[in-house]
Amino acid sequence: MNTAAEQTATHPFFAAHTHGFVRVATSTPDVRTADIAFNRDAILAEARRAHDAHVDLLVYPEMCLTSYILDDLVMQTAFLEMVHSALADIAEASRDLTPILVIGAPLMAQGQLYNCAIVIAAGEIAGAVPKSYLPNYREFYEKRWFAHGRHVRGAMMQAAGRSFPFGTDLIFQSSAIADFRLHIEICEDMWSPAPPSIEGTLAGATVCANLSASNIVIGKADKRHLLARSHSARTSCAYVYSAAGHGESTTDHAWDGQGFIYEMGTLLAESERFALHPELAVADVDCTAIMGDRIRNKTFDDAIEAAGRPADRFRTVPLIHHPARGDIGLIRPLARFPFVPDRLHKLDEDCYEGFNIQVDGLMRRMEATRPESLVIGISGGLDSTHALIVAAKCCDRLGLPRTMIRGYTMPGFGTTDHTRGNAWKLMQAFGITAEEIDIRPAATLMLRDIGHAFADGEPVYDLTFENVQAGLRTDYLFRLASQHKGFVIGTGDLSELALGWCTYGVGDHMSHYAVNAGVPKTLIQHLIRWAIRSEQFSHDTDEVLQAIVDTEISPELVPVGADGAVQSTEGTVGPYALNDFFLHHIMRWGQKPSKVAFLAWHAWRDAAAGEWPPFFPENARTEYDLPTIRHWLEKFLWRFFQTTQFKRSAIPNGPKVSGGGALSPRGDWRAPSDAVATVWLEELRANVPESTRID
């Protein structure tokens, strides 16, 4: 019998490499000026430490084998010969280590001296890349010693008793991970108006490494971040930057040893600056997501063509790569709520932007249509509450009375006194025109007219029973909008659209303008909390808003049970926290179900691990095991891909709010209404174990 730990060590699902992750690291090793033997040993010490951390790619600083500040020492023959010997030693000593090493050193080729990055994998020197741009301004004098490598293509080099490719036209391809393709540039190359890595990424590289000996002055660290973040976002790549640190000569310079890893504009890891001891910054880069982003960005395709298809000019160098097997964990920031930031300042920024996107969209629609009223169905739940907040802010900004908002609470067979009371308190707190229409008589008449058993007193609470109520509510709202010369504000959110959790046509599926259509349920909760925290409204209003946030999500279409239990939405469709997680990774990145499950398992299996969004209630911090994740992901796939697209193909206008995407057929998402979910369901069932334990 295998234990759970034994299974996670052996089943492919639990291995990060299975899902296209590459563990990359920056290293700032000990260094001693011009002491090649010392530096060689320091490089190997860091390589062994990275091996123990299951690193796949280890990027060192520029000229780390010799140190950077050498001046004319770099042109000494004995010194350069020692470089060859040390490279041979490193290659041999690293034969059984997992990391691919990218080391900086000076090398001679065709009678010229180059500042190079040398790639060593599985005990062999795979290739060397020369620096393209040599700084020769202010404190820099590299053109005194080195030749630039901008035009070195198709060349070979002899060094350390080996022959290997040499040039700026190299893409290094992992033998183990298909989407792991490496391009290398050196220090100043990143600061150039046309960094070589632009052509490298257009040639197919997913990871760009930069070996740097950038000296530090005030403000320079921020600029390095700016350049790397921008570059990784613009070219959809991972950018791995490693700068020289303590131990370099301080004749006229100082060094901070900055290392960081960006992925498509997001900082994954950063080393400690000015550290006295060797530093490793480690993160798992998602090469599959990078490729997924590129295939969705057709401007990237255009850029490839505009650049003359760089892949045709590059050489692919195979890298023998033996990554660690089994469950090595996952080292990267991973949000439980991908639509909701974990950091306080970012949460406030996103809530401010999201809220104002909705307000601005509705204001523009009001300016265009000049309504005399805004009609909203107020249930006392999250979505209608947030729609009312948006509408109220629109009226305030346009100088219109809130009384033009006509709120209607429409109790049905499952409405509780609690939500009905909240609805009335909410409408009164916002000072809108508030009315109540009891839909039960009309619903009973319709059920009787269609011959439904409930009309004869039988407790039949089927889909028809629910849809009659949902449809009547929307029918009333449309007729009221016509009567009062206004339009209906839709309340349904992005999560409900993904799950098809709405009544089609004349139901909550339809409105004149859907302000929440681009906002997932998990973000709506935070938007309301933000409205409370930022004191947008009065204290009394905030109390009502808090009570609504604390209420269980329910459509309240089925009468309360004998045990007092209220109909639970999440009991039917699954936790919105998981559904929004699934939606983000499938809609935004096109990830396979097995990878989505892997990410969800790492994000949600331990409530005590990782970050939670600020102000998230302690008592709501839950966790989900793999069987639960697998169960609800299967339900999500069936709903999203097979049964509900026809609803999304016919939705009203509404603003896109999140970069994670929207589901409007006029926006991010287009799909046939008659597709089947077979491919996704089979992939899930084939590659995700039903449990972490085998009995």
Side-chain angles (χ1 to χ4, degrees):
M1 181 176 69
N2 289 347
T3 65
E6 287 171 339
Q7 184 186 358
T8 60
T10 58
H11 195 291
F13 169 80
F14 298 101
H17 292 109
T18 299
H19 305 287
F21 287 102
V22 177
R23 183 157 296 175
V24 304
T26 68
S27 171
T28 309
D30 286 327
V31 63
R32 188 180 291 169
T33 305
D35 192 339
I36 295 174
F38 176 90
N39 297 337
R40 173 201 62 199
D41 295 343
I43 287 168
L44 284 170
E46 286 295 276
R48 295 186 186 101
R49 195 154 70 105
H51 171 84
D52 292 340
H54 309 301
V55 168
D56 300 304
L57 172 68
L58 184 58
V59 179
Y60 293 89
E62 179 182 13
M63 299 278 284
C64 60
L65 184 56
T66 59
S67 75
Y68 177 71
I69 296 295
L70 294 169
D71 294 336
D72 292 351
L73 298 182
V74 77
M75 297 187 289
Q76 291 286 313
T77 303
F79 191 81
L80 292 172
E81 288 180 353
M82 183 64 175
V83 168
H84 287 212
S85 176
L87 284 174
D89 292 344
I90 292 171
E92 185 57 37
S94 64
R95 187 171 298 278
D96 296 324
L97 301 182
T98 57
I100 297 162
L101 309 180
V102 186
I103 297 167
L107 290 175
M108 289 286 295
Q110 291 105 29
Q112 293 178 291
L113 181 61
Y114 292 94
N115 179 343
C116 294
I118 299 96
V119 179
I120 297 174
E124 298 297 330
I125 299 177
V129 178
K131 191 171 184 176
S132 290
Y133 294 96
L134 305 176
N136 220 64
Y137 52 88
R138 295 198 292 271
E139 63 263 45
F140 301 108
Y141 299 93
E142 285 195 31
K143 289 182 181 179
R144 176 182 176 94
W145 308 296
F146 300 113
H148 75 76
R150 290 194 297 276
H151 304 309
V152 180
R153 293 177 174 269
M156 298 293 292
M157 175 182 283
Q158 300 287 331
R162 295 161 168 83
S163 176
F164 46 86
F166 173 60
T168 55
D169 59 340
L170 304 182
I171 300 288
F172 297 90
Q173 170 71 64
S174 165
S175 62
I177 303 173
D179 290 331
F180 176 22
R181 294 187 285 275
L182 173 67
H183 179 269
I184 299 167
E185 61 188 14
I186 302 173
C187 197
E188 183 73 9
D189 294 346
M190 178 177 76
W191 300 78
S192 161
S197 53
I198 290 179
E199 192 173 43
T201 54
L202 294 176
T206 51
V207 179
C208 295
N210 186 300
L211 296 76
S212 176
S214 174
N215 65 309
I216 187 62
V217 295
I218 293 172
K220 196 172 186 180
D222 287 342
K223 187 165 285 189
R224 295 175 190 148
H225 273 297
L226 173 66
L227 292 172
R229 180 185 180 191
S230 173
H231 185 76
S232 69
R234 184 175 56 252
T235 62
S236 296
C237 76
Y239 201 88
V240 187
Y241 179 90
S242 182
H246 185 77
E248 282 286 351
S249 171
T250 58
T251 301
D252 290 303
H253 307 286
W255 316 88
D256 64 335
Q258 186 173 31
F260 51 68
I261 302 160
Y262 275 93
E263 178 188 287
M264 294 186 286
T266 298
L267 180 64
L268 300 185
E270 183 174 13
S271 65
E272 178 187 347
R273 296 172 59 216
F274 300 106
L276 296 180
H277 304 290
E279 280 280 305
L280 281 180
V282 183
D284 292 332
V285 165
D286 192 345
C287 288
T288 304
I290 289 169
M291 292 303 297
D293 190 60
R294 289 179 181 179
I295 65 174
R296 284 162 176 75
N297 182 357
K298 294 307 150 185
T299 301
F300 196 91
D301 288 346
D302 290 344
I304 290 173
E305 297 298 330
R309 301 195 63 82
D312 297 339
R313 303 190 295 272
F314 273 74
R315 289 176 287 169
T316 298
V317 180
L319 291 178
I320 304 302
H321 178 206
H322 301 296
R325 299 299 177 187
D327 182 3
I328 61 172
L330 188 65
I331 304 175
R332 62 183 279 122
L334 184 58
R336 289 179 170 88
F337 300 96
F339 294 100
V340 182
D342 294 334
R343 293 168 294 159
L344 176 57
H345 77 278
K346 194 68 173 68
L347 176 61
D348 285 346
E349 288 174 7
D350 281 15
C351 286
Y352 169 81
E353 281 193 325
F355 179 65
N356 281 284
I357 288 168
Q358 292 179 274
V359 170
D360 192 73
L362 181 56
M363 284 197 303
R364 179 69 188 95
R365 185 54 57 95
M366 291 170 68
E367 289 174 337
T369 59
R370 302 291 181 182
E372 294 183 13
S373 68
L374 302 175
V375 175
I376 310 178
I378 305 295
S379 67
L382 287 171
D383 293 343
S384 62
T385 296
H386 186 59
L388 176 56
I389 291 173
V390 172
K393 188 61 69 173
C394 285
C395 288
D396 294 348
R397 289 187 182 175
L398 292 172
L400 299 170
R402 289 188 187 176
T403 52
M404 76 173 294
I405 303 171
R406 304 188 67 87
Y408 295 88
T409 184
M410 292 178 279
F413 298 113
T415 302
T416 63
D417 291 339
H418 175 71
T419 55
R420 179 173 173 270
N422 280 344
W424 269 107
K425 290 176 184 176
L426 183 70
M427 292 188 291
Q428 290 166 347
F430 274 90
I432 68 173
T433 302
E435 295 188 34
E436 180 174 308
I437 298 174
D438 187 344
I439 66 166
R440 287 172 293 184
T444 301
L445 178 61
M446 181 177 285
L447 290 167
R448 181 178 296 114
D449 287 344
I450 65 175
H452 192 276
F454 177 81
D456 295 327
E458 297 183 32
V460 178
Y461 310 130
D462 56 8
L463 186 60
T464 302
F465 176 80
E466 295 187 22
N467 282 348
V468 162
Q469 296 173 78
L472 275 172
R473 284 173 173 149
T474 304
D475 199 358
Y476 273 116
L477 293 176
F478 270 99
R479 306 321 143 215
L480 288 163
S482 176
Q483 182 179 358
H484 296 285
K485 300 179 181 178
F487 63 79
V488 177
I489 296 178
T491 60
D493 61 48
L494 183 69
S495 308
E496 293 177 343
L497 285 172
L499 296 164
W501 191 248
C502 53
T503 300
Y504 183 77
V506 183
D508 52 333
H509 166 261
M510 193 49 60
S511 65
H512 289 116
Y513 192 71
V515 294
N516 291 339
V519 188
K521 188 79 74 179
T522 51
L523 182 54
I524 282 181
Q525 292 171 324
H526 287 276
L527 284 166
I528 296 176
R529 291 192 184 105
W530 173 78
I532 297 170
R533 192 171 66 254
S534 59
E535 300 181 345
Q536 300 276 324
F537 305 104
S538 69
H539 177 71
D540 291 342
T541 303
D542 291 345
E543 285 188 351
V544 180
L545 294 177
Q546 188 61 58
I548 290 169
V549 171
D550 294 339
T551 300
E552 181 177 2
I553 300 170
S554 171
E556 293 194 335
L557 295 170
V558 172
V560 175
D563 59 356
V566 176
Q567 183 185 14
S568 170
T569 295
E570 293 181 298
T572 301
V573 300
Y576 277 112
L578 286 181
N579 282 318
D580 283 356
F581 189 96
F582 302 154
L583 174 63
H584 176 84
H585 289 282
I586 287 172
M587 176 175 63
R588 175 64 182 90
W589 305 110
Q591 303 282 29
K592 294 188 296 185
S594 60
K595 183 169 183 177
V596 176
F598 174 81
L599 292 169
W601 182 62
H602 276 279
W604 285 99
R605 62 180 174 172
D606 183 359
E611 298 293 329
W612 289 86
F615 311 107
F616 195 87
E618 291 283 346
N619 60 2
R621 299 185 179 191
T622 188
E623 57 190 45
Y624 301 105
D625 59 16
L626 185 59
T628 301
I629 291 167
R630 189 183 190 275
H631 169 78
W632 289 119
L633 180 52
E634 185 170 6
K635 300 292 186 186
F636 177 89
L637 296 172
W638 181 74
R639 281 181 169 274
F640 185 74
F641 286 109
Q642 183 156 329
T643 67
T644 60
Q645 178 57 41
F646 75 98
K647 297 181 181 181
R648 294 188 288 272
S649 295
I651 60 175
N653 298 162
K656 177 180 176 179
V657 173
S658 168
L663 290 170
S664 168
R666 300 167 296 277
D668 283 4
W669 182 259
R670 293 165 178 79
S673 295
D674 45 9
V676 295
T678 305
V679 168
W680 294 270
L681 292 171
E682 288 183 352
E683 199 281 335
L684 175 76
R685 293 163 182 164
N687 297 309
V688 180
E690 295 184 12
S691 172
T692 55
R693 182 182 300 276
I694 296 177
D695 296 321

